[in-house]
Amino acid sequence: MELHDVWFVLIAVLWTGYFFLEGFDFGVGVLTKLLARNRPEKRVLINTIGPVWDGNEVWLLSAGGATFAAFPEWYATLFSGFYLPLLVILVCLIVRGVAFEYRAKRPEEKWQRNWEAAIFWCSLLPAFLWGVAFGNIVHGVKIDKNLEYVGGLGDLLHPYALLGGLVTLTLFTFHGAVFTALKTVGDIRDRARRLALRVGLVTAVAALAFLLWTQADTGNGRSLVALVVAVAALVAALAANQLGREGWSFALSGVTIVAAVAMLFLSLFPNVMPSTLDPSWSLTVTNASSSPYTLKIMTWCAGIATPIVLLYQGWTYWVFRKRIGTQHIAEAAH
């Protein structure tokens, strides 16, 4: 296997880790409006991800940095062609981070309500737009012979991409609901499980349609295996949720995300960004990659740094593993 193939796999792993971790993170943000009935319950939801949300975003920085270094042509075409959607995502992530930190700085009702609205919308929009972006990456976009994107914003909003956005939004919300059930106690835990069932059924329909469309359009034997795993894991996650096995349900919803993202990358390879104008103008792991020497240095750096990051993040989740409820919220926060 060539180094550019190795780095394609590593970038796929980084995006998979980001969607697994930031997926329930976004889902909990959406649930602050769909599930929480009052301010203490919103505080409970925010506190379930409070210690980990910023660490989850490290995976996005790593994925973007790895793409820039390993596949500069891919990075340049992607970030120039998808400039506006990616800018919206970036602004949302910034505002969302500020909202987590500033929400409780003042006691006024309007102040806290506005920051809570920011958390909701800045979780919902990225959850949707990431699906739109990856739908376009897999489906292909207008790339000319100079390997540059020549389409417009409207070219990115076709039915396949919009369905992809719906899938990531509902899947992340389901993932967040089972995470909430896993991390809370009392009435909010029970309501999270009931909401997870309703959202999960919508997710199953949308995801099945999107994955079958992907398989029919660009799939192969390997992507078909990933499709079967994703569907089976989602059904099993719904069943575990109904049985009150939140840990299994969360793990299986995570498997669903991992398998679905793996299917997209398996369908994409060896392309990294297909051209809808002429297949010969597509960006591939070969014509979009950096030099072998650059990839070699990156491989050594990744081999040293990645285990350290994984150990630290795993330790963080272990420290903050206990359930919480409204009884754990200080009276002053009410």
Side-chain angles (χ1 to χ4, degrees):
M1 180 180 287
E2 299 289 338
L3 278 179
H4 51 65
D5 297 330
V6 171
W7 273 97
F8 179 86
V9 174
L10 290 176
I11 288 172
V13 170
L14 290 172
W15 280 111
T16 302
Y18 173 68
F19 287 140
F20 179 95
L21 296 171
E22 193 82 327
F24 72 76
D25 201 325
F26 286 143
V28 171
V30 173
L31 292 177
T32 56
K33 189 171 288 291
L34 300 183
L35 180 65
R37 291 176 174 173
N38 49 48
R39 182 138 289 113
E41 289 190 353
K42 290 184 179 181
R43 181 69 179 270
V44 168
L45 291 176
I46 293 171
N47 284 4
T48 62
I49 59 174
V52 297
W53 68 267
D54 48 355
N56 294 344
E57 293 184 357
V58 170
W59 290 78
L60 173 61
L61 299 176
S62 300
T67 304
F68 172 77
F71 299 100
E73 288 284 356
W74 184 12
Y75 182 92
T77 303
L78 175 65
F79 280 78
S80 59
F82 294 13
Y83 182 82
L84 185 57
L86 293 177
L87 177 63
V88 172
I89 291 174
L90 177 60
V91 171
C92 284
L93 293 179
I94 293 172
V95 173
R96 186 169 177 266
V98 173
F100 283 134
E101 300 298 333
Y102 275 55
R103 174 191 170 275
K105 296 298 184 182
R106 289 169 55 179
E108 290 88 346
E109 174 82 12
K110 183 177 181 180
W111 172 273
Q112 296 193 4
R113 187 172 61 248
N114 288 340
W115 286 120
E116 288 163 359
I119 291 173
F120 170 76
W121 287 108
C122 292
S123 298
L124 185 148
L125 286 174
F128 176 76
L129 289 175
W130 279 127
V132 174
F134 270 82
N136 278 286
I137 291 173
V138 175
H139 179 268
V141 292
K142 293 181 177 179
I143 298 175
D144 65 10
K145 61 182 179 181
N146 297 317
L147 306 182
E148 296 178 356
Y149 178 71
V150 293
L153 178 62
D155 296 314
L156 304 178
L157 304 177
H158 49 85
Y160 177 80
L162 294 175
L163 179 59
L166 176 63
V167 170
T168 52
L169 175 58
T170 55
L171 181 56
F172 291 170
T173 304
F174 171 69
H175 196 41
V178 295
F179 177 79
T180 300
L182 177 64
K183 287 287 293 178
T184 58
V185 295
D187 180 58
I188 193 170
R189 175 188 178 188
D190 297 330
R191 285 189 282 114
R193 285 173 50 199
R194 291 195 295 270
L195 180 61
L197 174 62
R198 296 195 294 271
V199 175
L201 292 174
V202 176
T203 302
V205 174
L208 182 60
F210 179 74
L211 295 179
L212 288 175
W213 192 343
T214 303
Q215 180 65 27
D217 191 24
T218 59
N220 49 55
R222 293 168 298 182
S223 64
L224 179 60
V225 173
L227 185 155
V228 173
V229 172
V231 173
L234 182 55
V235 172
L238 286 167
N241 176 72
Q242 285 301 97
L243 295 173
R245 304 296 298 272
E246 292 101 342
W248 279 105
S249 183
F250 176 71
L252 288 164
S253 67
V255 171
T256 303
I257 293 175
V258 170
V261 177
M263 180 190 175
L264 296 182
F265 277 95
L266 288 169
S267 301
L268 188 61
F269 186 82
N271 293 323
V272 295
M273 211 164 176
S275 172
T276 57
L277 299 178
D278 188 332
S280 65
W281 297 343
S282 298
L283 291 170
T284 68
V285 293
T286 303
N287 65 17
S289 68
S290 294
S291 68
Y293 183 70
T294 300
L295 297 178
K296 184 177 180 179
I297 294 176
M298 289 175 59
T299 303
W300 279 104
C301 294
I304 296 171
T306 302
I308 297 174
V309 173
L310 290 175
L311 286 172
Y312 173 76
Q313 195 159 27
W315 176 78
T316 303
Y317 277 91
W318 175 256
V319 170
F320 295 101
R321 67 189 182 278
K322 292 185 178 180
R323 295 176 182 267
I324 62 173
T326 53
Q327 67 270 28
H328 300 116
I329 303 299
E331 188 65 29
H334 289 214

